[in-house]
Amino acid sequence: MDSLIASNIRQRPTRTLVSVAGVALGVILIVVNTSLVRGMLSDRMGREKGLGAEIQFSRKGSSVISVSSILSLDVRYGDRLKQIEGVENVSPVGRYVQRSSTGFGIEQLDGIDFDSYQAISGLKLISGRPFQSENEVMIDDFKAAQSKLTVGSDIPVFGQTKKVVGIYTPASGSRIKMSLRALQDAQSAPDKCTFIMVKCKNPADEAIVQERIDKELPGNIVILTRDVATGFGRAVPGLDGFIRSVLILSTIVSTLVILIAMYTTITERTREIGILKSLGASKSYIVGLIEKEALAISFIGVIAGVAGAGLVTFVLGKSTTLQLEFDWKWVLIAGIVGLAAGLLGALYPALRAANQDPVAALSYE
Amino acid sequence: MSEVVRTGQPAAAASPILTTEELTMTYHVGKVDVYALRGVNVDVAKGDFVSIMGPSGCGKSTLLHILGGLLQPTSGKVIVDGENLATVTDAERTDIRRRKIGFVFQRFNLFPTLTAEGNLKLAEHIHGKTGGDSNMRREVLRLLGLENKLHHKPLELSGGEQQRVALARAIVNRPSIILADEPTGNLDSENSDMVLRMLKQLNEQFQQTIVMITHNPEAAAVASRTIEMRDGRVVS
């Protein structure tokens, strides 16, 4: 039986290749997309930590984890926050979302008060200087390297061209930073920001300070920075739905390819099914034979898919600003999906073969 | 009522291993009923070598397929080694076929992707012998002069060699009965003689029961007796 499966796989290279490609495509879809999502969240988490503030304060409807451009929080909340016991320093941040300069996805930029932001985040300029006018921005070292930007380069913001005047490290918040005042002017929202970073005197007391702020300034969002990335994952519209869609789509693609390939093969092999029946092969034997063949093909497809996903992830990571994070849990899930799709896709052809009339099958030309 | 001719009574008074009683088979082609078998009664004794002759369309192949459990008869009995194929389920008929029947076809029907040995191993696997019986396999291949063709695929073998592999596959699990459907129909005279000689040898040396369909009177003469069919009936 095993040699029949192996020989069928070897002797029908086109069918095998198409089936393997179908399963591999499904695996690649799952692994690359989940790597993208994980990479995005992981990158986001790292940059939120880089803010240096333990707490982020915002108004309801303009969460720091929102991907919309809303400047609705009065910056004067900063003065009230400073008066709360345990708060060392605050810094207002305006966040703006625009289409990525690469044309792939979105990117955010932060409008900041340079001095207070630097005091909290520990931001260091590695080249150039801070922004001084509304047409100047700073970028982090990752964006500079990925987008091949240097001090003096032009960068599109609000559909206008801005000049990169400084490159900083470490990455924190959004990768592009400009003057909060310039952002407020551009958004016609004077004295407004999106959220306020809150630095605690003692970082270990962050939860206590969070509680105090919530009590003193009720009706607002007071979130610990370490919870932001998790919240970001939940806040991105349809992120879970997207992952589910990718899973379903991948399963459908793999299943259909295997189904069509196995159906064609079974039709070609009608006479062989008749021979198996004449030898006394039961229906379950024939179903098992075809399912094992599909499983073997799917296994090869999964291996090819994982290799392909690794390659795609590597190439995307090198050639774009996308952050991808390979996760073995999702590789395992993709593998299971690939194998299950193979079994599912082969089931109908297998049952059809098992139920063929042996005499008709033997006389099939 | 169909004409009943009971034939094939063996010379020795051995109990029949294969019996049909009033066997009928009707195909429905659109609104037309085609009567392939019209009350066939046959007895084949254990160790007998029976040939079935008759013109095309007389029902020979239909009879062979029913004897082998590939077809369910419209009515009548088919007793194979004590089990009535006409009353069992499809799964039970398959099981009886696996345990008791070996088929040899005119077109060899070997698996093209498997070697000669692979074809035999597959038959053994279906029979339930996981690793196969290598001694039995070697013995069968030696008997049929195929020791040097073990690793050849069907397309690398001559017609005669392919039919011998098919014959080896049919007997490797020691079935009670071999059903051969024009086994020499696709062979030249030299290979036909060789295959017939081997069938005869199997019958004489191992008392293998064989039922063979043929159009060729010379092939039929190799058998110990011949059943003549006409229009779905046994006539002699």
Side-chain angles (χ1 to χ4, degrees):
Chain A
M1 185 176 185
D2 293 345
S3 64
L4 182 62
I5 292 167
S7 65
N8 278 333
I9 290 172
R10 276 199 309 271
Q11 302 287 326
R12 295 178 166 84
T14 307
R15 185 286 310 253
T16 301
L17 201 65
V18 169
S19 306
V20 164
V23 174
L25 181 64
V27 170
I28 290 170
L29 270 172
I30 293 172
V31 175
V32 170
N33 280 295
T34 52
S35 295
L36 265 171
V37 170
R38 276 185 58 83
M40 184 176 74
L41 291 178
S42 180
D43 171 57
R44 181 76 193 176
M45 189 183 289
R47 283 191 281 141
E48 290 302 329
K49 280 180 183 166
L51 288 174
E54 289 80 21
I55 295 169
Q56 296 181 29
F57 178 86
S58 60
R59 293 204 66 178
K60 277 190 176 160
S62 64
S63 164
V64 295
I65 56 179
S66 169
V67 288
S68 59
S69 307
I70 301 173
L71 275 67
S72 59
L73 179 67
D74 197 313
V75 293
R76 285 172 295 190
Y77 268 102
D79 297 332
R80 294 180 65 183
L81 285 165
K82 271 187 194 174
Q83 290 166 11
I84 293 172
E85 187 187 349
V87 174
E88 183 179 284
N89 203 355
V90 299
S91 180
V93 177
R95 185 153 284 173
Y96 179 79
V97 180
Q98 66 175 8
R99 190 186 176 89
S100 170
S101 54
T102 62
F104 197 74
I106 58 167
E107 68 181 358
Q108 295 177 326
L109 68 86
D110 286 346
I112 60 169
D113 169 63
F114 183 80
D115 293 333
S116 62
Y117 188 92
Q118 187 180 40
I120 291 177
S121 67
L123 175 151
K124 287 183 186 133
L125 281 162
I126 54 176
S127 68
R129 57 170 176 78
F131 45 76
Q132 288 172 348
S133 76
E134 61 182 22
N135 292 321
E136 295 177 347
V137 298
M138 303 186 310
I139 56 173
D140 67 21
D141 50 350
F142 177 85
K143 183 161 181 69
Q146 283 289 309
S147 304
K148 296 184 173 56
L149 296 171
T150 56
V151 171
S153 299
D154 290 332
I155 186 169
V157 174
F158 313 135
Q160 300 167 1
T161 301
K162 306 280 183 189
K163 184 82 63 192
V164 175
V165 294
I167 296 171
Y168 67 89
T169 192
S172 62
S174 303
R175 296 197 182 282
I176 306 171
K177 302 229 173 339
M178 65 186 297
S179 153
L180 175 60
R181 181 166 299 253
L183 181 62
Q184 288 167 341
D185 290 347
Q187 295 295 298
S188 303
D191 299 325
K192 299 287 185 184
C193 63
T194 306
F195 66 98
I196 296 172
M197 295 159 51
V198 178
K199 176 75 183 165
C200 297
K201 286 177 181 164
N202 181 3
D205 294 338
E206 60 181 13
I208 299 166
V209 176
Q210 179 191 28
E211 203 173 311
R212 282 185 196 136
I213 295 172
D214 201 30
K215 200 172 174 184
E216 297 271 337
L217 302 168
N220 296 293
I221 295 173
V222 185
I223 187 168
L224 296 177
T225 300
R226 58 182 156 88
D227 295 334
V228 168
T230 317
F232 186 77
R234 284 197 295 270
V236 173
L239 193 61
D240 287 343
F242 170 73
I243 292 176
R244 269 199 300 276
S245 301
V246 167
L247 271 176
I248 292 168
L249 190 67
S250 306
T251 309
I252 290 172
V253 167
S254 301
T255 302
L256 281 180
V257 171
I258 289 279
L259 191 149
I260 292 165
M262 292 305 283
Y263 188 88
T264 309
T265 307
I266 296 307
T267 305
E268 284 171 1
R269 285 158 56 188
T270 298
R271 193 177 182 82
E272 291 181 21
I273 302 300
I275 301 169
L276 283 171
K277 286 183 167 257
S278 75
L279 292 172
S282 63
K283 287 181 181 178
S284 60
Y285 186 94
I286 293 169
V287 170
L289 184 76
I290 294 164
E291 285 288 350
K292 280 185 184 177
E293 190 171 321
L295 196 62
I297 290 170
S298 303
F299 183 74
I300 300 169
V302 167
I303 301 294
V306 171
L311 186 68
V312 171
T313 305
F314 177 77
V315 171
L316 278 178
K318 286 286 177 192
S319 60
T320 69
T321 57
L322 295 171
Q323 298 283 295
L324 294 104
E325 193 173 298
F326 213 65
D327 181 6
W328 288 105
K329 184 188 94 177
W330 280 102
V331 171
L332 184 68
I333 290 171
I336 291 168
V337 167
L339 296 178
L343 289 175
L344 191 68
L347 191 59
Y348 172 67
L351 291 173
R352 190 171 173 271
N355 287 304
Q356 275 180 1
D357 173 49
V359 175
L362 279 167
S363 57
Y364 185 83
E365 295 294 338
Chain B
M1 185 63 194
S2 62
E3 175 189 359
V4 176
V5 177
R6 183 159 290 281
T7 184
Q9 297 296 342
S15 60
I17 194 167
L18 191 62
T19 301
T20 68
E21 290 179 12
E22 288 299 314
L23 199 61
T24 70
M25 183 69 192
T26 306
Y27 294 107
H28 304 287
V29 183
K31 291 181 178 176
V32 179
D33 288 342
V34 178
Y35 299 97
L37 299 178
R38 301 163 183 256
V40 171
N41 296 282
V42 170
D43 282 331
V44 177
K46 188 171 167 58
D48 211 352
F49 186 171
V50 177
S51 65
I52 301 174
M53 291 194 73
S56 294
C58 71
K60 302 187 300 292
S61 290
T62 300
L63 176 61
L64 199 81
H65 290 147
I66 290 174
L67 295 179
L70 293 175
L71 278 178
Q72 171 90 330
T74 306
S75 67
K77 284 184 181 176
V78 188
I79 314 291
V80 175
D81 207 6
E83 298 184 79
N84 187 357
L85 291 183
T87 58
V88 296
T89 63
D90 184 47
E92 288 166 335
R93 208 164 44 245
T94 300
D95 183 54
I96 294 168
R97 183 163 67 244
R98 177 170 57 246
R99 288 185 287 111
K100 300 188 174 180
I101 308 287
F103 273 104
V104 179
F105 298 98
Q106 180 179 358
R107 291 170 59 178
F108 322 134
N109 281 344
L110 296 171
F111 281 89
T113 59
L114 294 179
T115 61
E117 188 179 31
N119 271 279
L120 266 64
K121 280 184 173 175
L122 179 64
E124 289 178 313
H125 191 270
I126 290 171
H127 194 259
K129 299 172 187 166
T130 310
D133 182 345
S134 57
N135 289 334
M136 178 65 181
R137 206 183 310 136
R138 270 199 296 274
E139 174 63 19
V140 167
L141 290 168
R142 188 195 58 74
L143 185 73
L144 297 174
L146 292 165
E147 304 99 313
N148 300 324
K149 304 292 181 182
L150 279 180
H151 305 298
H152 287 66
K153 288 184 179 167
L155 287 177
E156 298 161 356
L157 300 170
S158 69
E161 288 168 335
Q162 287 188 56
Q163 194 59 298
R164 278 187 281 154
V165 173
L167 190 52
R169 182 181 64 183
I171 63 174
V172 74
N173 293 318
R174 302 186 189 196
S176 307
I177 304 157
I178 287 181
L179 301 176
D181 190 355
E182 299 198 47
T184 60
N186 270 7
L187 302 178
D188 57 28
S189 56
E190 187 183 342
N191 279 309
S192 292
D193 289 346
M194 188 184 294
V195 168
L196 290 170
R197 210 167 43 243
M198 285 171 176
L199 285 169
K200 188 70 179 168
Q201 192 180 353
L202 285 171
N203 175 245
E204 289 178 351
Q205 279 190 9
F206 303 101
Q207 286 72 54
Q208 176 70 60
T209 308
I210 300 171
V211 176
M212 176 179 72
I213 288 177
T214 183
H215 278 111
N216 183 352
E218 289 175 21
V222 176
S224 49
R225 64 197 178 87
T226 299
I227 295 171
E228 285 277 349
M229 288 187 72
R230 287 267 192 292
D231 302 325
R233 297 185 176 93
V234 172
V235 293
S236 68

